[in-house]
Amino acid sequence: MEPPGLLSRAAALIFEHTGVPAEVYLIDYRHTHLVPVEPDLPLIPVDNTPEGHAFAAQQIVTTDDGALVLPLTVYGDRSGILILRTTEPQDEDAREAYAGLAGVLARALRLADAHTDLPRRLRRRARLTLAAEMQWELLPGSACSTDEFRLAGQLEPAYAVWGDNFDWSITSKRLTLTVSNGTGTGTDAAALTHLAISALRNARRSGGDIVEQAALADQTLYAAHRGSQHLATLLLDFELGTGRVRAIDAGSPRVYRLRGGVIDSVDFEAQLPLGMFGDTHYSVQEFTVRYGDRLIVVSDGVHTAESRAGELYGKSALVQAIRDTRLQPPSEAVRGFIRRFLEYHDGAEPRDDAVVVCLDWRGGAPTE
């Protein structure tokens, strides 16, 4: 049962605790607008507003009318903002206390998300297709930060995605990241991806490395579809202490690296997609990330997308988008990347799903 007035009560409790009127806003699925918990308040655009800047830059912002805007974030994953309508000057101690309050609220929202549909209902500005519902349920979150890395991902079209997906898992020593490029359309594509991600997770959670993960997913998809449907997937396993990365390229997602201002592609030996034959032996390739490296992973819905004039996005526009967003943190970089990707279509709907994942590596020592 949905807890009555859950999010509205959060604002009421903050007022009761601080004496300051509070408003809670959640970020919509496309990360373009902040959606109020209270229905009589307006949407707030992320771009070109103080409240949006607080969300995007993850900073405490004071608006022109004196309101204090605090980002709601858990381990780098942004859920929205808290606005405190106070006109009293705030010293550093008060701001720190309010920031701690925002942190508690962000964690409470994360817990509420597991027990009620209300946060997800509020965040949707349109109805999701069933296929999109299946895909969003698979996602680990939209961002994550640790001492070694900052990571973020985004799907498009957010409300009608079919089979593309990303997933990650973190331990004290490793980060496992997968990007999958679904085939087909509708719930068939979503069901295929759902089965594959479940198999990858099952192997991973049983202690299997990325070779065992790929093997189980390959066998599972082949057993279900006898090779008539398969899934292109890139598996990356990062060793947090050294920056060594083990990779299996089972399909079409691509990796681009920004290092010292230079953009290049990280190429692997292509192997068969998951589920094509069921007994494929997947081999591991390796590369190393350094402090300051940025990796951008995109599905083929990005690098093979065409403009109205028929030019491939991956030919030059993709590199330009990486360059344009290079100074932004990963969460903002993927948001800006998707915005440029949609602008490239000049108002037309993309013909395929798109996944963009951005990872900034902070492990190891800075180099000259």
Side-chain angles (χ1 to χ4, degrees), residues 111-306:
L111 290 173
D113 200 45
H115 299 287
T116 172
D117 290 335
L118 186 57
R120 301 185 193 206
R121 284 167 50 191
L122 286 169
R123 292 180 59 207
R124 300 176 186 195
R125 299 180 58 217
R127 180 167 181 166
L128 268 67
T129 64
L130 179 55
E133 188 79 54
M134 295 167 70
Q135 292 297 68
W136 278 96
E137 284 297 310
L138 284 175
L139 295 182
S142 63
C144 183
S145 295
T146 71
D147 292 340
E148 293 83 9
F149 63 84
R150 292 184 295 174
L151 174 64
Q154 194 161 330
L155 288 174
E156 183 62 36
Y159 294 93
V161 67
W162 296 323
D164 286 11
N165 191 268
F166 60 84
D167 191 28
W168 59 65
S169 178
I170 305 151
T171 69
S172 60
K173 296 182 179 179
R174 318 198 75 83
L175 161 68
T176 303
L177 169 65
T178 62
V179 175
S180 299
N181 195 116
T183 56
T185 60
T187 55
D188 287 343
L192 180 73
T193 302
H194 203 291
L195 182 60
I197 297 299
S198 297
L200 292 169
R201 288 176 174 174
N202 180 258
R204 187 182 73 216
R205 292 167 181 172
S206 299
D209 62 14
I210 58 172
V211 173
E212 294 169 280
Q213 293 168 35
L216 180 59
D218 182 49
Q219 294 162 14
T220 301
L221 293 185
Y222 185 79
H225 300 287
R226 312 310 295 177
S228 63
Q229 295 188 57
H230 38 78
L231 188 74
T233 303
L234 176 68
L235 298 91
L236 300 173
D237 178 55
F238 296 78
E239 193 173 78
L240 299 183
T242 64
R244 184 172 72 111
V245 187
R246 302 170 73 242
I248 291 177
D249 182 358
S252 57
R254 292 189 180 176
V255 182
Y256 295 85
R257 175 175 56 204
L258 174 61
R259 174 180 287 174
V262 177
I263 300 170
D264 61 358
S265 61
V266 182
D267 298 321
F268 308 103
E269 178 185 345
Q271 301 179 69
L272 294 173
L274 305 176
M276 185 168 282
F277 293 107
D279 58 357
T280 303
H281 174 73
Y282 291 98
S283 59
V284 170
Q285 298 164 77
E286 294 188 3
F287 68 102
T288 302
V289 285
R290 303 175 186 170
Y291 181 92
D293 279 359
R294 166 166 287 187
L295 300 182
I296 299 284
V297 188
V298 296
S299 63
D300 75 353
V302 176
H303 63 78
T304 65
E306 294 184 355

